Amino acid sequence: MTPVELSRTVLRAVRRAVDEGELSVVVPVRAVVTPPGPGGCGDYATNIALQLARPAGRPARQVAEILRPHLTRSEGVADVAITGPGFLNIRLGGGAGASLVREIQRRRDAYGHGDILAGQIVPLRIPYDIRAEVVADTLVRIVATQGGRAEVHHIHIHPSRAEPAGTELSRAEPAGTDLPQAKTVGTDPSPAEPPRTNAPQADPARPHRLHRPRPQITTLRPTPAPEDPTPLGPDAARWALLHPASHDRPRISADHLLQRESNPLFRVRYAHARTRALIRNAAALGCTGDPGDVPEDVPGGGELVGALAGYPAVLTQAALHRAPDRLARHLVTTADALLAFQHTVLPLGDEKPSAAHRARLALAEAAGTVLAGGLSLLGISAPDYL
């Protein structure tokens, strides 16, 4: 069961509770399903009970207790536990990993894409700074994965108005803030130039004319790099600027070029290359991937399934919070799980390829798809050989 399918399952449980008169609420359009947070358990968790508590006029844990049996009886759900103020923690039954792999195989590079920003324009205001340029360029692609369209506008920051390091450097300004006319990246709009628009002027004879609200503007001011990162090359330079959080000062050093375990960029790209090598070696053995469940005792298997399942939520959060570093860090988590899992994929010695090997190979191939897709969104290459 994929996160999207599980979200629908949660909504069906709410609908059954409403139909049976246990809850008196409007069934929401969507239910948020994510990997469990601290203190959680199982494969996924949802805050639907907290979301419905106020309209239902009941405590969140009571709403969770009402929804729990409906969820437990759902196909593909093995168990449901309630934690904290009313989070529903869901453990999936057989077929969860296989379903996830099939979903990744079907959607390929579009896996994890959603519509939470469908039809929205996201204006991004940035200073003339190389790190801000790279962050904005990456956000254009990440926002597009959620159905939105990011527009980049350059601004001048007067030295007296510059914000000291360590302050809130990426913030959303109130809707309705004047935005300079969109410019091609690299142009220099005059800060004194008033906003230009082709919209018709207000008609004083029609004082009640309705105006569409302007999109919320995000001003991105990530902490600048201490030195020019371009000598690192395009891939390492982008990683050095994107992997740290926006308020952290990026580290520009040759460590990003080292092919060793201590380098997160190397681990991510090496993990992708390993998935390609596994596919090539399996083909030499006459073995191809076939989605199936991977037992929990397989090293790295559960962690890898969890990382792949959590990828859509990470993309959504990276788009909503304008934080490409969330994607970069999740790729490291996925890569580490794959590197722990890779040794179980192919037969050893005289062992013949089995259904278990084909299921593990399909999972590794799915991981390669997600790693390549995530690196592409960051503007970083994913070589097949490394």
Side-chain angles (χ1 to χ4, degrees), residues 1-5 8 97-108 110-113 291 312 366:
M1 185 181 296
T2 66
V4 174
E5 292 169 341
R8 297 193 190 105
S99 180
L100 175 65
V101 171
R102 291 190 189 96
E103 176 74 2
I104 296 173
Q105 288 180 339
R106 182 178 68 84
R107 302 198 64 187
R108 304 297 301 172
Y111 172 67
H113 293 202

Side-chain angles (χ1 to χ4, degrees), residues 253-273:
S253 74
D255 290 348
H256 295 293
L257 302 174
L258 297 177
Q259 296 195 21
R260 59 179 60 170
E261 189 177 352
S262 60
N263 179 4
L265 173 59
F266 170 72
R267 297 207 304 275
V268 172
R269 299 175 85 209
Y270 178 66
H272 172 265

Side-chain angles (χ1 to χ4, degrees), residues 117-160:
L117 295 176
Q120 295 187 33
I121 297 176
V122 179
L124 302 174
R125 302 197 325 170
I126 63 170
Y128 287 88
D129 169 73
I130 186 170
R131 190 183 185 195
E133 297 275 5
V134 170
V135 169
D137 173 71
T138 304
L139 284 174
V140 168
R141 288 187 292 274
I142 292 177
V143 167
T145 68
Q146 304 305 308
R149 179 165 65 89
E151 294 182 348
V152 180
H153 308 263
H154 286 83
I155 58 174
H156 286 287
I157 300 178
H158 193 276
S160 64

Side-chain angles (χ1 to χ4, degrees), residues 118-341:
Q120 295 187 33
I121 297 176
V122 179
L124 302 174
R125 302 197 325 170
I126 63 170
Y128 287 88
D129 169 73
I130 186 170
R131 190 183 185 195
E133 297 275 5
V134 170
V135 169
D137 173 71
T138 304
L139 284 174
V140 168
R141 288 187 292 274
I142 292 177
V143 167
T145 68
Q146 304 305 308
R149 179 165 65 89
E151 294 182 348
V152 180
H153 308 263
H154 286 83
I155 58 174
H156 286 287
I157 300 178
H158 193 276
S160 64
R161 299 176 61 187
E163 300 181 16
T167 60
E168 183 69 21
L169 298 173
S170 176
R171 67 175 184 270
E173 299 186 358
T177 303
D178 287 334
L179 182 70
Q181 184 181 20
K183 299 284 185 180
T184 303
V185 173
T187 60
D188 188 1
S190 171
E193 181 183 354
R196 291 176 287 178
T197 176
N198 295 323
Q201 299 299 314
D203 185 354
R206 302 175 63 186
H208 300 293
R209 181 176 180 180
L210 297 177
H211 296 274
R212 296 178 61 187
R214 296 186 182 184
Q216 190 178 50
I217 300 166
T218 301
T219 299
L220 297 172
R221 299 179 187 174
T223 301
E227 57 187 283
D228 182 10
T230 53
L232 296 177
D235 289 332
R238 292 185 71 93
W239 182 268
L241 298 176
L242 293 171
H243 182 253
S246 182
H247 56 271
D248 291 333
R249 186 171 297 278
R251 180 176 53 85
I252 308 301
S253 74
D255 290 348
H256 295 293
L257 302 174
L258 297 177
Q259 296 195 21
R260 59 179 60 170
E261 189 177 352
S262 60
N263 179 4
L265 173 59
F266 170 72
R267 297 207 304 275
V268 172
R269 299 175 85 209
Y270 178 66
H272 172 265
R274 286 301 304 153
T275 65
R276 307 306 300 171
L278 289 171
I279 294 170
R280 292 192 299 269
N281 294 338
L285 296 174
C287 178
T288 57
D290 184 23
D293 285 327
V294 176
E296 295 182 359
D297 59 350
V298 174
E303 292 81 359
L304 185 55
V305 170
L308 298 181
Y311 180 73
V314 170
L315 272 188
T316 299
Q317 294 303 310
L320 292 178
H321 294 279
R322 323 290 191 247
D325 57 287
R326 297 191 181 202
L327 172 58
R329 290 196 297 272
H330 189 75
L331 292 181
V332 177
T333 299
T334 305
D336 289 344
L338 183 281
L339 292 175
F341 172 75

